[in-house]
Structures are given as structure tokens and as C-alpha cells.
Amino acid sequence: MKKRYLALFFTVLMLLCVSAAAQTLPSNDCFSPGMMRLAEKDDLALDASFTVQDAFYARDLSVLNAMLSGTTFHYDRNPQTETLSIRRDGEELFSAALAQTGSTTSLCFQGQQFDVSGLVPDRQQEPFYILERVPLEDVAEWIESLEGVSGPFDIQRTMSDDGTRLTKIEISGDVMIGEERWMVKGFLRQPAGRAPKDTFEVTIQRDEDNCIELLYSALREKEVEQKDKKGEVRVTTTLKAAGKLDGYDLSSRLSVHMKNNWMADHDGLSEKITLSATLSHQDKNPVRDGQHLDDVRIENRNVIHLKSGEDGLRSFSDESELQAVMDGQNFLGGTMKLAFREGGQILPAAAETEGTDIHKAFEQAVEDLSGRLYRQMSPEIKEKIGL
């Protein structure tokens, strides 16, 4: 009897280990399985809320924050339709649906339907994995699809020693930016290994007074604390742009650090993703000084929690902070909370009547939204509004 119990016990343990090992775990090849499952979901429902600390140099944001307090933005998607609705204190203030049927895209709101084909981009058919490494072959194919001035870009490919991977491409060609001809030349490298570092160097030049050099690097590292159970994946990315436009120096630097602390067991995969991004930009053109665009710094931080299993995504939340400083002054700052919601509701794409003037319908929607918000405001906020 004891042997039977021991055999059963070890069988259960083996099944649990196999279940954990069968999961797709974060690695240099897959930064976040949970984010990939989020992108792959055909039916998606998300709720968002916002707070604002700085906005366009305004001194008093009490009215704006009063309107945002208790307000949630609901996004729902299925394979045919996307909807956005705004609710506050249980009342729906606004709703709209974007539906695509064949080559026709319709916008439905205010009880009317508008054909917006050509005004909005087609919905992404294939999932786009925003945190994942893009295969170099896909980059090469995209560049080849671009038309230069005198024809397609010239691309030279370098394969790995065993001939199974594309590790480097060298590109050259001319493009039109506005009515001006610019020469593009450089390389992109994507190696393998335990800590691969992607790099590219590309020069875009029209003449001596108009030349930009782009330098990019992305280092991927991983640490496993417990095999198939616990670890950390990191990606450190830097993009630099430096050169001249119209003879004036400019420089930009984007630094992004992503870290995924993950744990896996028989119940699934838990991920905590921390993403920090900093963008700095300086432009010596005197015109930019008057526009407060001569010295820009933007900082963003996201903390994402995901729970997933082989059956798909189970939970998702994202808390982010944004701060933008222009010419030494706070321009924009605030927070956002985003959460996954089960059982999303899609608004019907069919409308009551066919719309004729989308601008009038939009103006009416804004007027209705403002009126509903105003009725919910406290007497103190209404006095500040002065209506």
C-alpha cells in the first residue's frame, strides 16, 4: 500500500514538473509570454483611468482632475469591431464603435453610421508583439518593400556560419523626404548567444548641412534563479541620433530598460515587468527656442503584472507615470491605470440612421459629453467653470 502511495505521489510530482516545464517561459527569445498572449487575444476588454499633475503649463488643474475623478475609459475588441466608451459614476457619457467588413470601415456613434474607409488604418490582422525582438529577416523584407527614388533599397545579407540565421544586413538607397532626396546607408546586426546585443548604424544624408547618424543597441540578458520556476530577463536599449538639420546641431537619446521578474508553477506563469524610458532631445535651431522645443526631456515608467497559462491570459494590469519637461518647464505629467476585464461588451455596429456629416456628429458628441459631465460636477467646480 505504501509503495502505491509513493508511486502515486511521485507520479503527481512528475506531472507538476512536466506541466511547469511545458510552459513558455521568459528568455532572450521571448521576453514576455504573457504580453504575447495579450496581443494574440481576439476578444479583449480593458479599463483605463487617468490623473494629471501637469498639462500644457496650466496652473490650476482642479477642474480637469474633477472631471477625470471617477471616470473610466472602456475599450472592447473582437475580430470585427472595436468600441470605446466613457463612463463616470455609473453613467455612460460617450460610446463609439469602429467596425470593419471586408474593405469597408464604419464608425458608429450618435446613432449614426459613417464610412471612414481610408481615414483610419486597417486593423492589424497579425498580432504585434511590442516588447519582443523583431527577426532581422522581417526587417529586411520591410525595407525591401519600401520604394526609393531610383528603385528598391539594395540589401546585402550575411548568414550565420551554419546558414540557419540572418545575422547582418547592409542597406543603401535613396528616399524622398518631402521634395528632397536623401541618401540612406548603414548596417543592422542581430547576433545569437547567451547575451546577444543587437546593433545598427545608419546614416541619412542630404548634404553637409543636413545629415543624421542613428546608432542603436539592445542588450538581452537572463538569469535563472530556479530552473523552470523563477528568473529574470533584462533588455537594455539605447537609440542615439546626432547630426545637423539646416546647418544647426541636434541630438536625441532614447534609453529604455525593461526587466521581467517571473515565477512559474503548475498553476501558470506570473510576470512583473518594469519598463523605464527616458527621451532627451536638443535642437540648436533658434526657431525651436521660441517653440520651447530646443530642450525636451520625457520620462515614462510602467509596472505591468500578468498571469497566464497554456489556456491563455488570465489577468493583466499596467500602472504608468509620464513626465514631460520642455525648455525647463513642466509640460505634461500624469498617471494611468490599465486593467484587463473579463466579459467585454461590444456595441452593435449597426446604427439607426446613415450619417452625412461626421464633423457635426462629432461636435454634437462633444457637446453631449460636456453637458453630462457638467451635471455631475460639484457646485464648487461649476463655480470655477463659470457656466
Side-chain angles (χ1 to χ4, degrees):
M1 183 65 70
K2 290 181 179 180
K3 291 182 179 179
R4 291 181 180 177
Y5 284 131
L6 286 174
L8 179 61
F9 176 71
F10 283 115
T11 300
V12 172
L13 285 181
M14 182 179 68
L15 290 174
L16 292 180
C17 291
V18 169
S19 174
Q23 297 183 80
T24 301
L25 301 177
S27 65
N28 288 337
D29 296 323
C30 178
F31 178 79
S32 172
M35 288 295 290
M36 292 182 70
R37 291 190 173 101
L38 178 66
E40 292 167 355
K41 281 187 66 66
D42 289 330
D43 299 304
L44 181 63
L46 297 171
D47 294 340
S49 59
F50 301 87
T51 61
V52 178
Q53 283 83 47
D54 301 290
F56 316 113
Y57 311 118
R59 294 183 179 181
D60 188 352
L61 297 174
S62 58
V63 173
L64 176 58
N65 278 312
M67 291 190 295
L68 290 174
S69 178
T71 301
T72 55
F73 297 77
H74 303 272
Y75 170 80
D76 296 88
R77 181 188 74 195
N78 67 17
Q80 291 78 38
T81 309
E82 293 177 273
T83 68
L84 173 67
S85 60
I86 303 175
R87 298 187 182 97
R88 186 178 189 277
D89 294 339
E91 180 183 353
E92 186 174 276
L93 306 177
F94 173 85
S95 63
L98 192 67
Q100 188 167 347
T101 306
S103 59
T104 302
T105 303
S106 300
L107 174 64
C108 306
F109 72 107
Q110 293 297 112
Q112 300 181 72
Q113 178 171 295
F114 303 90
D115 185 353
V116 292
S117 303
L119 299 178
V120 298
D122 292 338
R123 294 185 60 184
Q124 183 79 24
Q125 299 300 319
E126 296 295 327
F128 179 63
Y129 308 123
I130 59 174
L131 302 184
E132 299 302 320
R133 191 186 198 189
V134 179
L136 194 56
E137 184 61 49
D138 292 351
V139 178
E141 291 178 358
W142 176 75
I143 294 175
E144 285 179 328
S145 70
L146 300 176
E147 289 292 333
V149 174
S150 57
F153 279 89
D154 178 51
I155 298 182
Q156 302 294 325
R157 287 173 166 82
T158 301
M159 304 298 293
S160 58
D161 293 337
D162 58 7
T164 60
R165 293 183 65 257
L166 180 61
T167 61
K168 183 181 179 181
I169 59 174
E170 297 178 73
I171 64 173
S172 61
D174 293 338
V175 296
M176 293 296 293
I177 301 178
E179 298 180 355
E180 302 168 344
R181 180 194 299 259
W182 292 69
M183 180 184 70
V184 180
K185 186 175 183 180
F187 73 86
L188 296 84
R189 183 185 293 115
Q190 194 174 78
R194 295 177 60 87
K197 185 177 182 180
D198 299 349
T199 58
F200 76 62
E201 297 181 11
V202 176
T203 300
I204 307 173
Q205 183 172 10
R206 190 188 74 183
D207 51 41
E208 291 185 357
D209 289 333
N210 294 274
C211 181
I212 304 295
E213 184 180 27
L214 302 175
L215 303 175
Y216 167 89
S217 68
L219 175 64
R220 299 176 183 274
E221 302 172 287
K222 67 175 182 178
E223 294 181 6
V224 177
E225 188 173 330
Q226 292 179 274
K227 186 178 179 181
D228 297 331
K229 291 185 178 180
K230 188 177 182 180
E232 181 179 284
V233 182
R234 298 183 299 274
V235 181
T236 303
T237 302
T238 302
L239 175 62
K240 301 177 184 178
K244 292 178 179 289
L245 281 181
D246 297 327
Y248 296 102
D249 292 335
L250 65 80
S251 63
S252 299
R253 181 187 178 97
L254 174 64
S255 300
V256 181
H257 182 72
M258 301 191 305
K259 181 173 64 175
N260 187 354
N261 295 104
W262 60 269
M263 297 180 63
D265 55 26
H266 67 280
D267 189 43
L269 173 66
S270 298
E271 304 174 68
K272 178 185 177 182
I273 299 173
T274 305
L275 188 153
S276 300
T278 302
L279 171 66
S280 59
H281 174 76
Q282 290 186 325
D283 190 337
K284 299 300 183 180
N285 190 322
V287 175
R288 302 292 177 262
D289 186 15
Q291 298 171 337
H292 298 289
L293 296 175
D294 58 324
D295 189 354
V296 178
R297 183 177 178 85
I298 301 174
E299 297 182 358
N300 183 69
R301 175 180 169 83
N302 290 69
V303 179
I304 301 170
H305 293 270
L306 300 112
K307 180 74 174 180
S308 62
E310 291 306 313
D311 57 339
L313 183 69
R314 298 173 186 169
S315 65
F316 163 81
S317 66
D318 178 9
E319 295 188 11
S320 65
E321 300 177 8
L322 174 70
Q323 186 69 43
V325 178
M326 293 188 175
D327 200 15
Q329 301 181 54
N330 291 334
F331 176 74
L332 190 64
T335 64
M336 179 192 72
K337 292 184 178 181
L338 191 64
F340 173 69
R341 169 169 40 89
E342 290 285 358
Q345 296 181 352
I346 296 292
L347 297 177
E352 297 173 3
T353 60
E354 184 175 351
T356 56
D357 192 334
I358 191 171
H359 299 291
K360 289 183 178 180
F362 181 75
E363 291 175 359
Q364 186 62 49
V366 172
E367 184 177 331
D368 292 345
L369 173 62
S370 302
R372 293 184 179 119
L373 270 172
Y374 181 75
R375 288 195 296 271
Q376 292 185 350
M377 295 295 100
S378 67
E380 293 79 12
I381 295 298
K382 288 181 179 179
E383 185 177 349
K384 282 191 174 184
I385 297 174
L387 296 177

